[in-house]
Amino acid sequence: ETGVTQTPRHLVMGMTNKKSLKCEQHLGHNAMYWYKQSAKKPLELMFVYSLEERVENNSVPSRFSPECPNSSHLFLHLHTLQPEDSALYLCASSQLAGDSYEQYFGPGTRLTVT
Amino acid sequence: AQSVAQPEDQVNVAEGNPLTVKCTYSVSGNPYLFWYVQYPNRGLQFLLKYITGDNLVKGSYGFEAEFNKSQTSFHLKKPSALVSDSALYFCAVRDKSGNTPLVFGKGTRLSVIA
């Protein structure tokens, strides 16, 4: 799991707080992703960045704000979250070329909104 | 549109017995197919993929999967299950044409009983 790292691993925040999740990939990939994994629900793709451009935003509420300053780093800025936003947030990266495309995942950030 | 179905929420198998976790897919063209495993409080780990060539694909930890185009299936198999194989398994697909992210199934929880 050292290929994609995420910090923090656990985060507890109140509904009025502002926090950020950080993801870093050390694989030389050119695409990065944010997923939300809630209990008993399928993986939800939130955002996709390809070559540092946001190419997909799956109707995610504006209280989630992604940032991709370069091809190795991805952030998810959080503000005024709701309790139903409590979940495991997974970052992934992949190479969008050739016959590869498998995504490599970080360990996730377990977020609890109180 | 691409989609993946994992018809079983839970699969139970005795240690030492063969295991199968089912996956069917739908894509408009030819598929890239993947299996991932998730252990508790961890991110998803890549197990194996089908890109082209042999229909039987071998992956990590003794797992294999068979691509069946006529049945649009990509079932995950292992000849002899271990208790340590207990985890959540995800099948994923993307169309070879286009540049879309992977589409994941909802996951199947595998329990291997000693």
Side-chain angles (χ1 to χ4, degrees), chain B:
Chain B
Q2 304 161 119
S3 67
V4 173
Q6 293 183 243
E8 304 152 317
D9 290 338
Q10 173 91 33
V11 170
N12 297 319
V13 65
E15 188 176 30
N17 282 4
L19 70 87
T20 299
V21 183
K22 295 179 181 176
C23 171
T24 58
Y25 67 89
S26 174
V27 297
S28 55
N30 292 313
Y32 289 130
L33 292 156
F34 304 82
W35 274 102
Y36 286 80
V37 60
Q38 186 179 31
Y39 297 100
N41 300 313
R42 306 283 288 276
L44 278 67
Q45 294 179 36
F46 169 72
L47 267 182
L48 52 81
K49 66 181 177 184
Y50 171 81
I51 301 296
T52 188
D54 285 343
N55 289 343
L56 185 64
V57 178
K58 294 188 184 296
S60 307
Y61 311 120
F63 284 94
E64 59 188 28
E66 186 165 12
F67 170 61
N68 187 317
K69 189 170 183 177
S70 63
Q71 296 186 6
T72 62
S73 68
F74 191 57
H75 301 331
L76 181 70
K77 299 183 180 185
K78 187 173 181 180
S80 178
L82 300 172
V83 172
S84 57
D85 293 329
S86 299
L88 190 56
Y89 289 81
F90 292 92
C91 182
V93 69
R94 69 179 296 274
D95 199 309
K96 281 188 179 180
S97 59
N99 216 12
T100 54
L102 299 183
V103 173
F104 285 84
K106 62 180 173 61
T108 297
R109 186 161 299 281
L110 173 68
S111 290
V112 181
I113 303 154

Side-chain angles (χ1 to χ4, degrees), chain A residues 1 14 19 32 34 43 53 78 88 94 98:
Chain A
E1 289 183 281
K19 296 284 184 185
M32 297 186 77
W34 279 118
L43 271 174
E53 296 286 328
L78 316 170
L88 183 67
S94 73

